[in-house]
Amino acid sequence: GELSQVLSALENIKQQMTANLKPDEKFSGKINIQADENLNLDLVKKVMKLCVQNGWGSINFAVRSGQ
């Protein structure tokens, strides 16, 4: 689908982060998403949903406005 590259990147990053955790630590699921105000809102929602579905439940979201 249209988000397959995003999903692949999320999986790779999560795998790398998980490999570096100490035995008593767990994956935090923290992610920052930055979007331009001109980006399609439906696409942003799809990306955020994909994140949550794949263990990235702590989302910080920032929008860059045009000048």
Side-chain angles (χ1 to χ4, degrees):
E2 65 181 340
L3 298 177
S4 62
Q5 290 180 337
V6 174
L7 178 57
S8 179
L10 287 172
E11 289 173 342
N12 288 338
I13 294 167
K14 184 176 180 181
Q15 185 178 32
Q16 290 172 8
M17 292 177 73
T18 303
N20 293 324
L21 293 176
K22 296 176 184 170
D24 60 336
E25 292 179 315
K26 76 178 218 180
F27 178 70
S28 69
K30 293 180 182 178
I31 190 166
N32 296 323
I33 297 176
Q34 183 175 342
D36 183 276
E37 68 178 358
N38 297 316
L39 190 61
N40 180 294
L41 181 59
D42 287 335
L43 179 59
V44 174
K45 288 180 180 180
K46 287 178 183 178
V47 169
M48 292 176 75
K49 182 177 179 181
L50 186 68
C51 288
V52 171
Q53 289 173 336
N54 288 280
W56 300 85
S58 181
I59 299 173
N60 289 314
F61 183 69
V63 176
R64 181 179 173 147
S65 62
Q67 304 272 335

